[in-house]
Amino acid sequence: MRITHAPVAAAIAFLAACSSQDYSAFQALAPQGAEVKVLDGATLIDGNGGEPLANARLVIVDGRVRYAGPAAAMPVPASAARTDLAGKYIMPGIINLHGHLGSVKGLVQDPANYTPENLSAQLKTYASYGVTSVISMGSDQPLILEFREKQRATGRPDTTRIFTAYRGFTGKDGYPTKAPGMAGVPFEVSKPEEVAAAVEELAAKKVDVVKMWVDDHLGKERKIPLDLCKAIIENAHKHGIKAVAHVFYLADAKKLVEYGLDGLVHSIRDKPVDDELINLMKNRGAWQAAATFTREASTFVYAKPSPMLDDPFFTRSVNPEVLTTLKSPEYQAKAAASPDTKVFPGFLKTAQENLKKLVEAGVKHGFGTDTGPPARFSGYFEHWEMELMAEAGLTPQQIIQSFSKNAAEFLGATKDLGTIEAGHWADLIVLDANPLADIKNSRTINAVYIGGNKVQ
């Protein structure tokens, strides 16, 4: 005697009894035994840059989108597991091309904090804000590789997807090794042979990018020599890995792009970008992979009372003790006395103007925030980054594409991630309000899915 699973039997009975609808297309997408979810009625913003689709239907099978289109064109049986999202909006999950994981607890950065519990908590925080993928940029411990391996075994993690540079590069005693918790974290290289050995190690660990810090912290620290940067880029490319750089200065960016750098993971902040750099980036295919405006804003936002500190969208994920510290007159006075507080508002303005100019010129651009270090809060800052990008003159559609289609392209992951279309993992955010009308509506999160798993 053949035993049929009850829900499947009910679906078969319903289909047999129904003559007014043809469910053959749905049955082809959803074979017996598959996990099937149908999201119905929302307006779909798929990340490709086209017009949104009202009354859309998504059919998600075993975590992947199998249909994304008009509801009327894909009839589904009443027995299907459907979620009514009428009046809602669906957009792709946020891919953050510049974050840091694991080393911070409260406001303290220390490699000793890199524990399974802390890493898991930070990934869950990212996920709760709709950040469905993140590249951790060069300050990781071996644990990150274990977490990434487990995620990729199924492709359906229950939290934010991990990409990693593992350990970044700087010169001997170079920036940022003097920052709290960063001594011994990057590779400190002084000759090309050391570069080659370190990149070989990274390639064996299958890192997703190779990262270098090229900065002197406004003359206060030692900057890696550019000839070593060239060796890092060349060795990364020899192993088929993209090379990215923390930059600050226009002159450094030009030289790095000449050497073949694939992406800038901060904005140029000292000067306006010029035609020489724009032409170099377009001709060499280099990206403004991450603008990290919130990184600049974090240097001065705490110097006085900020409405952010009372925003429920912010406070819901921040330790109460940390919140008390940030609100304290002592902390604010210390922030106000920092030299950075005086100069970084101007650097932020330059960065915003530079991103607008690069985008208008056709330079490829992604999305990144540099969240994770102390007082740069994962999740909330990604949404604040969008707001600062809008202030820079980008449209909501451009911003959404930057963290979806564009970011997936930079990762080389367009077969699986980025846009909401057939074949891709169902990494998406359900919103209560339209982000195309106002990008701040990205904060109206109703639900988050990663690989079809509802994580928020």
Side-chain angles (χ1 to χ4, degrees):
M1 178 181 178
R2 183 182 177 190
I3 299 175
T4 305
H5 193 267
V8 175
I12 292 171
F14 177 86
L15 289 171
C18 185
S19 58
S20 63
Q21 294 276 16
D22 178 4
Y23 300 111
S24 57
F26 179 82
Q27 288 175 295
L29 296 177
Q32 183 173 330
E35 177 197 271
V36 183
K37 298 176 182 177
V38 179
L39 305 185
D40 257 352
T43 297
L44 176 63
I45 302 162
D46 65 10
N48 278 306
E51 290 296 316
L53 175 66
N55 193 24
R57 173 164 287 160
L58 299 186
V59 179
I60 301 167
V61 181
D62 292 334
R64 288 189 184 269
V65 177
R66 294 303 178 192
Y67 174 81
M74 177 59 67
V76 301
S79 58
R82 299 167 70 176
T83 301
D84 183 3
L85 296 176
K88 309 296 184 187
Y89 296 82
I90 294 176
M91 72 176 186
I94 300 162
I95 300 174
N96 179 11
L97 295 178
H98 191 156
H100 292 271
L101 289 167
S103 295
V104 171
K105 273 189 175 181
L107 294 171
V108 177
Q109 182 168 258
D110 189 325
N113 292 330
Y114 216 110
T115 64
E117 296 76 18
N118 199 36
L119 182 53
S120 293
Q122 291 178 2
L123 290 169
K124 287 178 181 177
T125 296
Y126 267 131
S128 75
Y129 283 94
V131 180
T132 54
S133 296
V134 62
I135 303 181
S136 192
M137 273 294 183
S139 53
D140 287 315
Q141 302 293 324
L143 186 64
I144 195 84
L145 304 174
E146 297 176 27
F147 270 56
R148 188 187 63 170
E149 183 179 0
K150 288 178 182 177
Q151 287 189 350
R152 294 185 181 179
T154 65
R156 300 190 64 191
D158 59 2
T159 190
T160 300
R161 297 181 189 275
I162 295 168
F163 296 81
T164 181
Y166 192 54
R167 292 179 67 189
F169 284 89
T170 187
K172 186 66 176 173
D173 299 321
Y175 177 86
T177 57
K178 291 181 181 179
M182 288 299 288
V185 173
F187 291 109
E188 297 179 44
V189 291
S190 55
K191 51 188 177 180
E193 293 80 7
E194 294 172 350
V195 169
V199 174
E200 190 82 32
E201 178 184 334
L202 294 175
K205 291 175 168 38
K206 298 181 180 179
V207 297
D208 300 290
V209 293
V210 170
K211 191 263 184 85
M212 66 201 83
W213 280 270
V214 187
D215 199 354
D216 62 6
H217 198 190
L218 299 177
K220 295 190 285 287
E221 298 185 43
R222 183 175 296 176
K223 182 166 61 177
I224 184 172
L226 289 178
D227 62 327
L228 293 178
C229 296
K230 183 178 182 181
I232 293 166
I233 295 166
E234 290 174 347
N235 278 273
H237 289 174
K238 185 171 26 173
H239 290 281
I241 307 170
K242 286 182 176 177
V244 302
H246 167 125
V247 296
F248 186 92
Y249 302 105
L250 176 63
D252 289 338
K254 288 180 181 180
K255 190 59 69 174
L256 292 168
V257 173
E258 283 181 11
Y259 292 157
L261 187 79
D262 298 286
L264 307 174
V265 293
H266 285 289
S267 298
I268 294 160
R269 290 159 276 174
D270 68 321
K271 296 177 181 178
V273 295
D274 57 18
D275 290 343
E276 182 184 5
L277 177 71
I278 289 169
N279 292 332
L280 273 170
M281 294 184 76
K282 292 177 73 172
N283 292 337
R284 303 294 179 93
W287 286 62
Q288 179 64 64
T292 68
F293 295 153
T294 47
R295 188 266 175 213
E296 315 317 319
S298 73
T299 63
F300 56 85
V301 72
Y302 305 111
K304 58 185 179 180
S306 169
M308 177 180 78
L309 302 181
D310 293 309
D311 181 352
F313 193 64
F314 176 75
T315 60
R316 72 174 176 84
S317 64
V318 178
N319 182 298
E321 293 181 3
V322 169
L323 197 58
T324 297
T325 298
L326 295 177
K327 288 183 172 184
S328 69
E330 295 81 10
Y331 189 90
Q332 292 174 3
K334 182 178 179 181
S338 169
D340 287 352
T341 298
K342 297 177 178 62
V343 296
F344 269 86
F347 293 146
L348 172 58
K349 185 175 185 294
T350 298
Q352 289 176 305
E353 292 170 349
N354 283 344
L355 179 64
K356 175 66 171 173
K357 189 172 182 179
L358 291 171
V359 171
E360 287 182 341
V363 172
K364 291 186 174 183
H365 65 286
F367 178 90
T369 57
D370 199 12
T371 43
R376 303 211 287 271
F377 293 93
S378 304
Y380 181 89
F381 270 41
E382 278 65 38
H383 293 267
W384 188 18
E385 186 80 19
M386 296 181 208
E387 182 181 344
L388 293 172
M389 291 171 76
E391 287 180 7
L394 272 66
T395 67
Q397 190 75 273
Q398 288 174 317
I399 296 166
I400 291 169
Q401 273 195 270
S402 75
F403 64 67
S404 57
K405 181 179 182 178
N406 296 4
E409 182 183 343
F410 185 78
L411 283 174
T414 54
K415 290 183 179 179
D416 293 307
L417 303 175
T419 50
I420 302 173
E421 58 186 279
H424 286 192
W425 289 117
D427 291 6
L428 55 91
I429 310 171
V430 181
L431 302 172
D432 290 332
N434 185 1
L436 293 177
D438 185 342
I439 199 62
K440 290 182 184 178
N441 288 335
S442 70
R443 304 178 182 208
T444 65
I445 296 172
N446 179 276
V448 178
Y449 291 79
I450 299 177
N453 293 317
K454 189 175 180 181
V455 299
Q456 170 71 7

